Amino acid sequence: MYLSTGELSKKIKISVRTIRYYDQIGLVQPSMVGEGGKRLYSLEDSLRMEKVILLKSLSLPLEEIKKIIEEQSTETILLAHKAHLEDQCETINQSIAHTNSLLNILKLEGSVNWEDLLTLIVPEEYSRNWSMFFSEHEGKILQERLPKIEEDTLMTKKWINLIRRIELCINEGISPKSAQAKLIIDDMDILAQETFGGNNELISKFWDVRRSQESSDSLNLYPIKPEIIEFIEEAY
């Protein structure tokens, strides 16, 4: 079975112009030339063209693609493509994390502080050194359980909503001594127990760090407004 240039174009969804160019440079040439110079491609030719398209997606130059196809096995080609897809997944996941950061900041602040965002997207291993304030065990707990601004998890949403409730109280002039504030603090205690696995000593140590703007900055934690800290302290 042979395919014309037009039929091959439809089958593998590339332009006739591209097929002709690959023929001219000797990358993928037809097995037969019919009457009037009609180019006819076999199934093997079609498979070679698909390999070229796959490798082209890796941003390889055509000369390198030709060399790979002629010297490497199909398994090698597929492994190279898999590695490329995995790199793409990592890039996409980072983009999703940064977008979540933007969305969560908008929920908290109503606008984006770009300077804060730039510090948040520094890789975790370079941006936080829990050992400054916590034991190795405590650091692991914080690393695993602490909500992150770049995540779209239920725990992150709970903490954001709690902070927004405190902001509403502040904006509406509701006293930290009010019954409404007491309910918020009760919810905060419940959420803290859930977040830190009931480790009250760690909760206390983490709050001491959170109360200090300098300590929070040194750990690259998302900044909490001083008035929110004050409200929580008074409510307690």
Side-chain angles (χ1 to χ4, degrees):
M1 177 182 177
Y2 291 90
L3 301 172
S4 67
T5 302
E7 290 169 336
L8 182 62
S9 171
K10 290 179 181 179
K11 179 186 176 185
I12 58 180
K13 297 180 175 57
I14 63 170
S15 70
V16 170
R17 182 178 180 181
T18 298
I19 294 174
R20 288 174 177 167
Y21 177 66
Y22 290 169
D23 180 9
Q24 290 171 6
I25 64 174
L27 185 57
V28 183
Q29 294 180 308
S31 295
M32 289 182 60
V33 179
E35 294 182 3
K38 186 175 183 180
R39 324 296 278 178
L40 298 172
Y41 293 85
S42 67
L43 293 179
E44 289 76 13
D45 299 332
S46 176
L47 177 59
R48 182 180 174 95
M49 184 69 78
E50 289 174 351
K51 289 180 180 179
V52 170
I53 295 169
L54 186 150
L55 291 170
K56 193 73 172 64
S57 71
L58 308 184
S59 301
L60 293 173
L62 294 179
E63 288 183 6
E64 186 68 19
I65 289 174
K66 184 178 181 181
K67 184 177 179 181
I68 289 173
I69 289 177
E70 291 175 350
E71 297 180 2
Q72 303 295 330
S73 66
T74 300
E75 181 182 9
T76 302
I77 294 172
L78 291 175
L79 287 172
H81 186 56
K82 178 186 175 185
H84 174 67
L85 292 175
E86 288 172 345
D87 287 342
Q88 286 186 317
C89 285
E90 184 176 350
T91 300
I92 290 171
N93 287 334
Q94 288 176 350
S95 296
I96 291 172
H98 297 167
T99 302
N100 280 332
S101 295
L102 283 168
L103 290 170
N104 287 331
I105 289 170
L106 282 171
K107 290 176 185 176
L108 283 167
E109 308 290 347
S111 61
V112 175
N113 184 328
W114 291 99
E115 291 182 0
D116 288 337
L117 181 63
L118 289 173
T119 61
L120 288 168
I121 63 177
V122 174
E124 182 77 15
E125 61 267 28
Y126 297 113
S127 59
R128 291 200 177 107
N129 181 11
W130 298 112
S131 62
M132 289 189 293
F133 303 99
F134 305 97
S135 69
E136 182 178 352
H137 176 67
E138 291 169 338
K140 288 181 179 178
I141 294 175
L142 292 171
Q143 178 71 22
E144 292 173 1
R145 304 182 68 93
L146 196 66
K148 298 177 179 64
I149 196 74
E150 67 271 18
E151 293 181 344
D152 188 27
T153 62
L154 182 60
M155 185 67 72
T156 300
K157 291 177 181 177
K158 286 180 179 180
W159 279 108
I160 287 174
N161 286 343
L162 193 85
I163 293 173
R164 291 178 69 188
R165 286 168 63 193
I166 294 173
E167 285 184 322
L168 286 173
C169 286
I170 294 171
N171 294 337
E172 294 174 9
I174 297 173
S175 170
K177 305 296 184 183
S178 66
Q180 187 171 342
K182 184 180 185 304
L183 285 174
I184 292 175
I185 295 302
D186 286 344
D187 286 343
M188 178 176 285
D189 284 337
I190 294 170
L191 190 53
Q193 291 291 323
E194 183 181 350
T195 301
F196 297 98
N199 189 330
N200 290 318
E201 181 180 355
L202 181 56
I203 293 172
S204 178
K205 288 177 70 173
F206 185 76
W207 178 244
D208 286 341
V209 170
R210 248 343 195 155
R211 289 164 58 192
S212 166
Q213 187 66 53
E214 183 179 353
S215 297
S216 292
D217 288 345
S218 66
L219 286 174
N220 199 42
L221 297 171
Y222 187 79
I224 297 179
K225 296 175 182 176
E227 56 265 33
I228 293 177
I229 298 291
E230 291 174 10
F231 186 96
I232 294 171
E233 292 277 79
E234 287 187 44
Y236 269 112

